[in-house]
Amino acid sequence: MTDAASDDRVVGRVVKAHGLRGELVVEPRTDHVDARFTPGVVLSVRGRRVSGAGQLTVIAARRHGERLLVTVEEITDRDTAEALRTAELTAPPLAEEPDDPDEFHDHQLEGLAVVLADDTPVGTVTDVLHGAGGELLAVRRPEGGEVLIPFVAAIVTQVDVPGGRLVLDPPEGLLED
């Protein structure tokens, strides 16, 4: 039997606590913010736990610039909220897939083999990192170690999810230690 939580998608990351009542400042990681952070939705916590609680029930969420202020049933004070700093919030997948063929969910990229145009192996995608400057692919090298690859069309020339591979045309020096 498979664990349903293993199919969960990251929908947000806790940045910090807000206020004395334990609101969470959350950086959304989903195109479906309203559906994922509506009252009554239960989110799983990955990375950190609050007193053994692995799930949080949304009471309210409101925009705060590019982030959200989220109130959950299980957290009622600032210290408990602060313990969740950097935790990822996850939820089961929605039924819909991206409309754009050049858009991918993180889970579709994780595990893909990374190769150069001549099929030289580079490694395996282990994570998709979302930052202010865009997305980076964390790639585990066959010889050990990790390299971060900017997820841009000029470098990632092909994403073949059904074929299980991603093709790179890296600039000079990107793959060097």
Side-chain angles (χ1 to χ4, degrees), residues 141-163:
R141 302 297 303 262
E143 64 275 5
E146 180 181 76
V147 63
L148 298 177
I149 308 288
F151 190 42
V152 295
I155 297 172
V156 179
T157 60
Q158 181 185 8
V159 177
D160 180 6
V161 174

Side-chain angles (χ1 to χ4, degrees), residues 101 103-104 107-109 111-113 158-166:
E103 186 176 319
F104 304 94
H107 75 277
Q108 292 175 297
L109 300 172
L112 291 182
Q158 181 185 8
V159 177
D160 180 6
V161 174
R165 66 186 223 139
L166 186 142

Side-chain angles (χ1 to χ4, degrees), residues 35-53:
R36 296 301 199 173
F37 293 94
T38 192
V41 168
V42 177
L43 302 171
S44 295
V45 178
R46 188 164 76 186
R48 302 246 176 147
R49 298 285 186 256
V50 175
S51 304

Side-chain angles (χ1 to χ4, degrees), residues 46-108:
R46 188 164 76 186
R48 302 246 176 147
R49 298 285 186 256
V50 175
S51 304
Q55 296 189 319
L56 302 174
T57 307
V58 176
I59 295 174
R62 65 185 192 278
R63 295 256 180 213
H64 184 68
E66 294 293 315
R67 297 176 173 166
L68 300 172
L69 295 179
V70 180
T71 305
V72 296
E73 286 180 16
E74 295 78 4
I75 299 176
T76 58
D77 63 86
R78 183 179 184 85
D79 291 339
T80 306
E82 191 61 35
L84 278 179
R85 183 185 287 259
T86 73
E88 292 179 327
L89 303 176
T90 66
L94 295 174
E96 54 196 70
E97 287 297 317
D99 293 332
D100 184 347
D102 291 329
E103 186 176 319
F104 304 94
H105 291 297
D106 291 0
H107 75 277
Q108 292 175 297

